[in-house]
Short mmCIF file of all heavy atoms in Angstrom, two decimals:
data_model
loop_
_atom_site.label_atom_id
_atom_site.label_comp_id
_atom_site.label_asym_id
_atom_site.label_seq_id
_atom_site.Cartn_x
_atom_site.Cartn_y
_atom_site.Cartn_z
N PRO A 1 -10.90 5.58 7.06
CA PRO A 1 -10.29 5.69 5.73
C PRO A 1 -9.40 4.50 5.38
O PRO A 1 -8.56 4.08 6.18
CB PRO A 1 -9.46 6.98 5.82
CG PRO A 1 -10.00 7.72 7.00
CD PRO A 1 -10.49 6.69 7.94
N GLU A 2 -9.61 3.96 4.19
CA GLU A 2 -8.71 2.92 3.67
C GLU A 2 -7.45 3.59 3.14
O GLU A 2 -7.53 4.46 2.27
CB GLU A 2 -9.40 2.12 2.56
CG GLU A 2 -10.52 1.24 3.03
CD GLU A 2 -11.05 0.36 1.92
OE1 GLU A 2 -10.60 0.52 0.76
OE2 GLU A 2 -11.90 -0.49 2.19
N ILE A 3 -6.31 3.17 3.65
CA ILE A 3 -5.03 3.78 3.28
C ILE A 3 -4.23 2.80 2.46
O ILE A 3 -4.10 1.62 2.83
CB ILE A 3 -4.25 4.20 4.54
CG1 ILE A 3 -5.06 5.22 5.34
CG2 ILE A 3 -2.87 4.75 4.18
CD1 ILE A 3 -4.50 5.51 6.71
N LYS A 4 -3.69 3.28 1.33
CA LYS A 4 -2.85 2.44 0.49
C LYS A 4 -1.60 3.20 0.05
O LYS A 4 -1.62 4.42 -0.08
CB LYS A 4 -3.62 1.96 -0.75
CG LYS A 4 -4.78 1.02 -0.42
CD LYS A 4 -5.45 0.48 -1.67
CE LYS A 4 -6.60 -0.46 -1.32
NZ LYS A 4 -7.25 -1.03 -2.53
N LEU A 5 -0.53 2.44 -0.17
CA LEU A 5 0.73 2.98 -0.68
C LEU A 5 0.76 2.86 -2.19
O LEU A 5 0.46 1.79 -2.74
CB LEU A 5 1.91 2.21 -0.09
CG LEU A 5 2.56 2.72 1.19
CD1 LEU A 5 3.53 1.65 1.71
CD2 LEU A 5 3.30 4.02 0.96
N LEU A 6 1.13 3.92 -2.88
CA LEU A 6 1.28 3.86 -4.33
C LEU A 6 2.52 3.04 -4.67
O LEU A 6 3.61 3.29 -4.15
CB LEU A 6 1.41 5.27 -4.89
CG LEU A 6 1.48 5.39 -6.42
CD1 LEU A 6 0.16 4.96 -7.05
CD2 LEU A 6 1.80 6.83 -6.83
N SER A 7 2.34 2.03 -5.54
CA SER A 7 3.45 1.17 -5.90
C SER A 7 3.26 0.67 -7.33
O SER A 7 2.29 1.01 -8.02
CB SER A 7 3.56 0.00 -4.92
OG SER A 7 4.74 -0.74 -5.14
N ASN A 8 4.19 -0.16 -7.78
CA ASN A 8 4.14 -0.69 -9.14
C ASN A 8 3.48 -2.05 -9.20
O ASN A 8 3.67 -2.81 -10.16
CB ASN A 8 5.56 -0.78 -9.72
CG ASN A 8 6.46 -1.70 -8.91
OD1 ASN A 8 6.28 -1.85 -7.70
ND2 ASN A 8 7.45 -2.31 -9.56
N GLY A 9 2.71 -2.39 -8.22
CA GLY A 9 1.96 -3.63 -8.19
C GLY A 9 1.33 -3.79 -6.82
O GLY A 9 1.68 -3.09 -5.87
N THR A 10 0.40 -4.73 -6.71
CA THR A 10 -0.30 -4.92 -5.44
C THR A 10 0.33 -6.03 -4.58
O THR A 10 -0.01 -6.16 -3.41
CB THR A 10 -1.78 -5.25 -5.68
OG1 THR A 10 -1.87 -6.41 -6.52
CG2 THR A 10 -2.49 -4.08 -6.37
N GLU A 11 1.21 -6.83 -5.16
CA GLU A 11 1.85 -7.90 -4.40
C GLU A 11 2.82 -7.31 -3.37
O GLU A 11 3.43 -6.28 -3.59
CB GLU A 11 2.62 -8.85 -5.34
CG GLU A 11 1.75 -9.48 -6.42
CD GLU A 11 1.65 -8.64 -7.68
OE1 GLU A 11 2.10 -7.48 -7.66
OE2 GLU A 11 1.13 -9.15 -8.68
N GLU A 12 2.98 -8.02 -2.26
CA GLU A 12 3.83 -7.52 -1.18
C GLU A 12 5.29 -7.37 -1.59
O GLU A 12 6.02 -6.56 -1.01
CB GLU A 12 3.74 -8.45 0.04
CG GLU A 12 2.41 -8.35 0.78
CD GLU A 12 2.45 -9.03 2.13
OE1 GLU A 12 3.57 -9.31 2.63
OE2 GLU A 12 1.39 -9.30 2.71
N ILE A 13 5.73 -8.13 -2.58
CA ILE A 13 7.14 -8.05 -3.00
C ILE A 13 7.41 -6.85 -3.90
O ILE A 13 8.56 -6.55 -4.20
CB ILE A 13 7.57 -9.34 -3.74
CG1 ILE A 13 6.69 -9.55 -5.00
CG2 ILE A 13 7.51 -10.54 -2.82
CD1 ILE A 13 7.20 -10.65 -5.91
N LYS A 14 6.37 -6.14 -4.34
CA LYS A 14 6.55 -5.01 -5.24
C LYS A 14 7.01 -3.77 -4.45
O LYS A 14 6.92 -3.71 -3.24
CB LYS A 14 5.24 -4.70 -5.98
CG LYS A 14 4.83 -5.77 -6.97
CD LYS A 14 5.84 -5.89 -8.09
CE LYS A 14 5.47 -6.95 -9.10
NZ LYS A 14 4.35 -6.57 -9.96
N GLY A 15 7.49 -2.78 -5.21
CA GLY A 15 7.95 -1.54 -4.60
C GLY A 15 9.46 -1.52 -4.41
O GLY A 15 10.11 -2.58 -4.38
N ASP A 16 10.03 -0.31 -4.29
CA ASP A 16 11.47 -0.21 -4.02
C ASP A 16 11.71 -0.36 -2.52
O ASP A 16 10.78 -0.60 -1.74
CB ASP A 16 12.02 1.12 -4.56
CG ASP A 16 11.37 2.34 -3.94
OD1 ASP A 16 10.69 2.20 -2.89
OD2 ASP A 16 11.52 3.44 -4.48
N ASP A 17 12.97 -0.23 -2.11
CA ASP A 17 13.31 -0.46 -0.71
C ASP A 17 12.56 0.48 0.23
O ASP A 17 12.13 0.08 1.32
CB ASP A 17 14.82 -0.29 -0.50
CG ASP A 17 15.63 -1.39 -1.18
OD1 ASP A 17 15.04 -2.42 -1.53
OD2 ASP A 17 16.85 -1.20 -1.38
N THR A 18 12.40 1.75 -0.19
CA THR A 18 11.71 2.72 0.66
C THR A 18 10.25 2.36 0.84
O THR A 18 9.71 2.40 1.96
CB THR A 18 11.83 4.14 0.06
OG1 THR A 18 13.22 4.49 -0.04
CG2 THR A 18 11.12 5.15 0.93
N VAL A 19 9.59 2.00 -0.25
CA VAL A 19 8.16 1.65 -0.19
C VAL A 19 7.94 0.39 0.64
O VAL A 19 7.01 0.30 1.46
CB VAL A 19 7.59 1.49 -1.62
CG1 VAL A 19 6.19 0.89 -1.58
CG2 VAL A 19 7.56 2.84 -2.33
N ILE A 20 8.81 -0.61 0.46
CA ILE A 20 8.67 -1.86 1.22
C ILE A 20 8.86 -1.59 2.72
O ILE A 20 8.10 -2.08 3.56
CB ILE A 20 9.69 -2.90 0.72
CG1 ILE A 20 9.32 -3.37 -0.70
CG2 ILE A 20 9.75 -4.11 1.66
CD1 ILE A 20 10.37 -4.23 -1.36
N ALA A 21 9.87 -0.79 3.05
CA ALA A 21 10.11 -0.46 4.46
C ALA A 21 8.95 0.35 5.04
O ALA A 21 8.56 0.16 6.20
CB ALA A 21 11.42 0.30 4.60
N ALA A 22 8.41 1.28 4.23
CA ALA A 22 7.26 2.08 4.68
C ALA A 22 6.05 1.18 4.93
O ALA A 22 5.31 1.39 5.90
CB ALA A 22 6.93 3.15 3.66
N ARG A 23 5.85 0.20 4.05
CA ARG A 23 4.72 -0.72 4.24
C ARG A 23 4.83 -1.42 5.59
O ARG A 23 3.84 -1.55 6.32
CB ARG A 23 4.71 -1.75 3.10
CG ARG A 23 3.59 -2.78 3.24
CD ARG A 23 3.75 -3.94 2.30
NE ARG A 23 2.70 -4.92 2.54
CZ ARG A 23 1.65 -5.13 1.77
NH1 ARG A 23 1.50 -4.42 0.67
NH2 ARG A 23 0.74 -6.03 2.08
N GLU A 24 6.03 -1.88 5.94
CA GLU A 24 6.22 -2.59 7.20
C GLU A 24 5.92 -1.68 8.40
O GLU A 24 5.36 -2.13 9.40
CB GLU A 24 7.65 -3.12 7.27
CG GLU A 24 7.92 -4.23 6.25
CD GLU A 24 9.39 -4.63 6.22
OE1 GLU A 24 10.19 -3.99 6.94
OE2 GLU A 24 9.71 -5.58 5.48
N LEU A 25 6.27 -0.39 8.28
CA LEU A 25 5.98 0.54 9.36
C LEU A 25 4.48 0.83 9.47
O LEU A 25 3.92 0.82 10.58
CB LEU A 25 6.73 1.86 9.13
CG LEU A 25 8.25 1.87 9.30
CD1 LEU A 25 8.80 3.23 8.91
CD2 LEU A 25 8.63 1.53 10.73
N ILE A 26 3.85 1.07 8.34
CA ILE A 26 2.44 1.48 8.35
C ILE A 26 1.52 0.35 8.78
O ILE A 26 0.58 0.56 9.55
CB ILE A 26 2.02 2.01 6.95
CG1 ILE A 26 2.83 3.28 6.61
CG2 ILE A 26 0.53 2.34 6.93
CD1 ILE A 26 2.65 3.75 5.17
N GLU A 27 1.81 -0.87 8.32
CA GLU A 27 0.89 -1.97 8.63
C GLU A 27 0.93 -2.36 10.11
O GLU A 27 0.05 -3.08 10.58
CB GLU A 27 1.18 -3.17 7.74
CG GLU A 27 2.52 -3.83 7.95
CD GLU A 27 2.78 -4.91 6.90
OE1 GLU A 27 1.91 -5.12 6.04
OE2 GLU A 27 3.86 -5.52 6.94
N HIS A 28 1.92 -1.89 10.85
CA HIS A 28 1.98 -2.18 12.28
C HIS A 28 1.33 -1.08 13.13
O HIS A 28 1.37 -1.16 14.37
CB HIS A 28 3.43 -2.39 12.72
CG HIS A 28 4.00 -3.71 12.28
ND1 HIS A 28 4.78 -3.85 11.16
CD2 HIS A 28 3.87 -4.95 12.81
CE1 HIS A 28 5.11 -5.12 11.01
NE2 HIS A 28 4.57 -5.81 12.00
N LYS A 29 0.75 -0.07 12.48
CA LYS A 29 0.04 0.98 13.19
C LYS A 29 -1.43 0.58 13.34
O LYS A 29 -2.19 0.59 12.37
CB LYS A 29 0.15 2.32 12.45
CG LYS A 29 1.46 3.04 12.67
CD LYS A 29 1.52 3.62 14.08
CE LYS A 29 2.82 4.35 14.33
NZ LYS A 29 2.90 4.87 15.69
N ASP A 30 -1.83 0.23 14.56
CA ASP A 30 -3.19 -0.25 14.79
C ASP A 30 -4.25 0.83 14.51
O ASP A 30 -5.41 0.51 14.27
CB ASP A 30 -3.34 -0.75 16.23
CG ASP A 30 -2.48 -1.97 16.51
OD1 ASP A 30 -2.16 -2.69 15.54
OD2 ASP A 30 -2.13 -2.20 17.69
N THR A 31 -3.84 2.09 14.58
CA THR A 31 -4.80 3.18 14.38
C THR A 31 -5.12 3.41 12.91
O THR A 31 -6.03 4.18 12.59
CB THR A 31 -4.25 4.50 14.97
OG1 THR A 31 -2.97 4.77 14.38
CG2 THR A 31 -4.10 4.39 16.48
N LEU A 32 -4.39 2.75 12.01
CA LEU A 32 -4.59 2.96 10.57
C LEU A 32 -5.25 1.76 9.92
O LEU A 32 -4.91 0.61 10.22
CB LEU A 32 -3.24 3.22 9.89
CG LEU A 32 -2.45 4.45 10.35
CD1 LEU A 32 -1.13 4.54 9.61
CD2 LEU A 32 -3.26 5.73 10.17
N ASN A 33 -6.19 2.03 9.03
CA ASN A 33 -6.85 0.99 8.25
C ASN A 33 -6.06 0.80 6.96
O ASN A 33 -6.47 1.22 5.88
CB ASN A 33 -8.30 1.41 7.97
CG ASN A 33 -9.05 0.38 7.15
OD1 ASN A 33 -8.63 -0.77 7.02
ND2 ASN A 33 -10.18 0.79 6.57
N PHE A 34 -4.89 0.17 7.09
CA PHE A 34 -3.98 0.02 5.96
C PHE A 34 -4.36 -1.19 5.12
O PHE A 34 -4.57 -2.29 5.64
CB PHE A 34 -2.55 -0.13 6.47
CG PHE A 34 -1.53 -0.24 5.37
CD1 PHE A 34 -1.38 0.77 4.43
CD2 PHE A 34 -0.70 -1.35 5.28
CE1 PHE A 34 -0.44 0.68 3.41
CE2 PHE A 34 0.24 -1.45 4.28
CZ PHE A 34 0.38 -0.44 3.34
N GLN A 35 -4.44 -0.97 3.80
CA GLN A 35 -4.90 -2.01 2.89
C GLN A 35 -3.88 -2.36 1.80
O GLN A 35 -4.24 -2.83 0.74
CB GLN A 35 -6.22 -1.57 2.23
CG GLN A 35 -7.36 -1.33 3.19
CD GLN A 35 -7.82 -2.61 3.87
OE1 GLN A 35 -7.89 -3.66 3.24
NE2 GLN A 35 -8.10 -2.52 5.17
N GLY A 36 -2.60 -2.10 2.08
CA GLY A 36 -1.56 -2.53 1.15
C GLY A 36 -1.27 -1.52 0.06
O GLY A 36 -1.35 -0.31 0.25
N TYR A 37 -0.95 -2.05 -1.13
CA TYR A 37 -0.53 -1.21 -2.25
C TYR A 37 -1.69 -0.87 -3.18
O TYR A 37 -2.68 -1.60 -3.26
CB TYR A 37 0.54 -1.92 -3.09
CG TYR A 37 1.86 -2.15 -2.39
CD1 TYR A 37 2.59 -3.31 -2.62
CD2 TYR A 37 2.37 -1.21 -1.51
CE1 TYR A 37 3.81 -3.53 -2.01
CE2 TYR A 37 3.60 -1.42 -0.87
CZ TYR A 37 4.31 -2.58 -1.13
OH TYR A 37 5.51 -2.79 -0.52
N ILE A 38 -1.52 0.22 -3.92
CA ILE A 38 -2.44 0.57 -5.00
C ILE A 38 -1.59 0.91 -6.23
O ILE A 38 -0.55 1.55 -6.13
CB ILE A 38 -3.35 1.77 -4.64
CG1 ILE A 38 -4.37 2.04 -5.76
CG2 ILE A 38 -2.55 3.03 -4.33
CD1 ILE A 38 -5.44 3.06 -5.37
N GLU A 39 -2.02 0.42 -7.40
CA GLU A 39 -1.34 0.72 -8.64
C GLU A 39 -1.90 2.00 -9.25
O GLU A 39 -3.01 2.42 -8.94
CB GLU A 39 -1.51 -0.43 -9.64
CG GLU A 39 -0.84 -1.72 -9.20
CD GLU A 39 -1.04 -2.83 -10.20
OE1 GLU A 39 -2.14 -3.41 -10.22
OE2 GLU A 39 -0.11 -3.11 -10.98
N GLY A 40 -1.12 2.59 -10.16
CA GLY A 40 -1.53 3.85 -10.78
C GLY A 40 -2.85 3.76 -11.51
O GLY A 40 -3.63 4.72 -11.51
N ASN A 41 -3.14 2.60 -12.15
CA ASN A 41 -4.38 2.49 -12.91
C ASN A 41 -5.62 2.40 -12.04
O ASN A 41 -6.74 2.54 -12.52
CB ASN A 41 -4.32 1.29 -13.87
CG ASN A 41 -4.10 -0.03 -13.14
OD1 ASN A 41 -3.62 -0.06 -12.03
ND2 ASN A 41 -4.46 -1.12 -13.78
N ASP A 42 -5.44 2.18 -10.74
CA ASP A 42 -6.59 2.14 -9.83
C ASP A 42 -6.87 3.49 -9.16
O ASP A 42 -7.90 3.67 -8.53
CB ASP A 42 -6.37 1.09 -8.74
CG ASP A 42 -6.66 -0.32 -9.22
OD1 ASP A 42 -7.47 -0.46 -10.16
OD2 ASP A 42 -6.07 -1.27 -8.67
N VAL A 43 -5.92 4.42 -9.30
CA VAL A 43 -6.08 5.72 -8.66
C VAL A 43 -7.33 6.43 -9.18
O VAL A 43 -8.10 7.01 -8.41
CB VAL A 43 -4.83 6.60 -8.88
CG1 VAL A 43 -5.07 8.03 -8.42
CG2 VAL A 43 -3.64 6.00 -8.15
N VAL A 44 -7.55 6.39 -10.49
CA VAL A 44 -8.67 7.12 -11.10
C VAL A 44 -10.02 6.56 -10.66
O VAL A 44 -11.04 7.24 -10.72
CB VAL A 44 -8.55 7.10 -12.64
CG1 VAL A 44 -8.82 5.70 -13.19
CG2 VAL A 44 -9.48 8.12 -13.28
N PHE A 45 -10.03 5.32 -10.17
CA PHE A 45 -11.29 4.71 -9.72
C PHE A 45 -11.58 4.99 -8.24
O PHE A 45 -12.63 4.62 -7.73
CB PHE A 45 -11.27 3.20 -9.96
CG PHE A 45 -11.35 2.81 -11.41
CD1 PHE A 45 -10.21 2.56 -12.13
CD2 PHE A 45 -12.57 2.73 -12.06
CE1 PHE A 45 -10.26 2.22 -13.47
CE2 PHE A 45 -12.65 2.40 -13.40
CZ PHE A 45 -11.48 2.14 -14.10
N GLY A 46 -10.64 5.62 -7.56
CA GLY A 46 -10.87 5.95 -6.15
C GLY A 46 -10.86 4.74 -5.24
O GLY A 46 -11.63 4.68 -4.29
N ARG A 47 -9.98 3.78 -5.52
CA ARG A 47 -9.98 2.54 -4.75
C ARG A 47 -9.14 2.62 -3.48
O ARG A 47 -8.54 1.63 -3.03
CB ARG A 47 -9.55 1.39 -5.66
CG ARG A 47 -10.66 1.08 -6.67
CD ARG A 47 -10.29 0.09 -7.70
NE ARG A 47 -11.43 -0.09 -8.63
CZ ARG A 47 -11.32 -0.59 -9.85
NH1 ARG A 47 -10.14 -0.98 -10.31
NH2 ARG A 47 -12.38 -0.71 -10.62
N ALA A 48 -9.07 3.80 -2.93
CA ALA A 48 -8.48 4.04 -1.60
C ALA A 48 -8.95 5.42 -1.16
O ALA A 48 -9.16 6.30 -1.99
CB ALA A 48 -6.95 3.99 -1.66
#
């Protein structure tokens, strides 16, 4: 499964402090296929 964090943009600098810190934790988990952020307008297309 491709895993993405919901945020206000796809760039790494986007997101609030909690989302940015969560990204750093998740991307270091080798067992997860983490693919960064997803914006709200991409949710309806199933891009994660």
Side-chain angles (χ1 to χ4, degrees):
E2 290 187 355
I3 299 170
K4 294 185 180 181
L5 268 170
L6 184 66
S7 188
N8 61 330
T10 57
E11 302 88 350
E12 288 193 16
I13 60 170
K14 292 296 180 73
D16 61 15
D17 292 343
T18 300
V19 170
I20 291 171
R23 178 192 177 106
E24 293 173 356
L25 289 175
I26 297 171
E27 66 187 0
H28 286 97
K29 280 288 180 181
D30 295 336
T31 56
L32 299 178
N33 179 16
F34 182 59
Q35 299 294 320
Y37 294 144
I38 184 171
E39 295 180 282
N41 59 339
D42 280 334
V43 171
V44 70
F45 289 95
R47 289 174 181 160

